[in-house]
């Protein structure tokens, strides 16, 4: 196979969330950012293996529900990074704290988007976003499938 120059991953900078709706644990790690790591030393870009080449931080209240999916651009020049994120709005209880369980189960507050990022410049933010009709629960996982395996062939 071809040697990869970069790897993409998620960053957790907070703990919390509406995890009770999704059984255990009640509190979990929230995924707030996507990063692109250099896997090779590259004198042209002055990057060393392990350096962060680019990073995108989700807006406040938004959290990734899964790892990013990497898709080659048409023509093969670069990659798009697809990320499904869910918005979890803050909700105050009578003690001034957050009532994430109420927010997670009211059926209206949480919403989700598909974010399309340019793999070459994550820090510039989404190229486009798509509002999803329902919120997507934590724990969705991406999976790469070849196009031929996704197309339904007529019988």
């Amino acid at each position: 196979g071809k040697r990869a120059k970069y790897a993409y991953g998620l960053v957790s900078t907070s703990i919390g969330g509406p995890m009770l709706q999704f059984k255990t644990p009640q509190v979990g790690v929230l995924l707030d950012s996507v990063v692109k790591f250099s896997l090779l030393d590259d004198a042209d870009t002055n990057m060393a293996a392990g350096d962060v080449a680019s990073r995108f931080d989700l807006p406040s209240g938004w959290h990734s529900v899964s790892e990013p999916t990497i898709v080659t651009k048409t023509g093969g020049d670069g990659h798009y990074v697809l990320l499904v994120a869910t918005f979890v709005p803050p909700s105050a209880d009578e003690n001034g704290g957050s009532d994430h369980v109420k927010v997670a189960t009211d059926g209206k507050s949480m919403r989700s988007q598909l974010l399309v990022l340019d793999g070459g410049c994550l820090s510039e933010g989404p190229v486009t976003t798509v509002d999803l009709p329902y919120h997507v629960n934590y724990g969705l996982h991406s999976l790469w499938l070849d196009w031929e395996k996704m197309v339904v062939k007529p019988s």
Side-chain angles (χ1 to χ4, degrees):
K2 189 176 177 182
R3 190 168 191 171
K5 289 178 68 174
Y6 300 100
Y8 296 86
L10 294 170
V11 176
S12 173
T13 56
S14 62
I15 296 177
M19 300 302 280
L20 188 60
Q21 176 188 3
F22 315 115
K23 308 297 180 228
T24 58
Q26 291 185 24
V27 177
V29 175
L30 297 175
L31 306 169
D32 303 309
S33 304
V34 60
V35 292
K36 178 181 178 179
F37 291 102
S38 175
L39 296 177
L40 306 171
D41 294 329
D42 187 347
D44 294 336
T45 61
N46 206 23
M47 298 289 293
D51 283 353
V52 174
S54 191
R55 177 181 173 139
F56 171 70
D57 297 321
L58 288 157
S60 180
W62 286 89
H63 306 287
S64 177
V65 299
S66 178
E67 64 275 354
T69 300
I70 313 306
V71 178
T72 302
K73 291 181 180 179
T74 303
D77 187 25
H79 297 88
Y80 287 115
V81 177
L82 308 180
L83 194 64
V84 176
T86 291
F87 179 70
V88 183
S91 169
D93 64 18
E94 61 274 3
N95 299 320
S98 284
D99 183 0
H100 289 291
V101 174
K102 181 178 176 185
V103 168
T105 58
D106 74 5
K108 296 177 272 188
S109 300
M110 291 178 63
R111 59 188 192 278
S112 297
Q113 290 183 332
L114 170 67
L115 289 78
V116 180
L117 303 160
D118 186 326
C121 51
L122 296 177
S123 60
E124 291 184 13
V127 173
T128 191
T129 59
V130 178
D131 289 325
L132 302 178
Y134 301 98
H135 83 272
V136 179
N137 294 342
Y138 295 111
L140 173 74
H141 291 286
S142 62
L143 172 68
W144 174 261
L145 290 174
D146 290 323
W147 178 253
E148 293 78 23
K149 292 179 181 175
M150 293 177 18
V151 175
V152 177
K153 297 178 181 173
S155 52

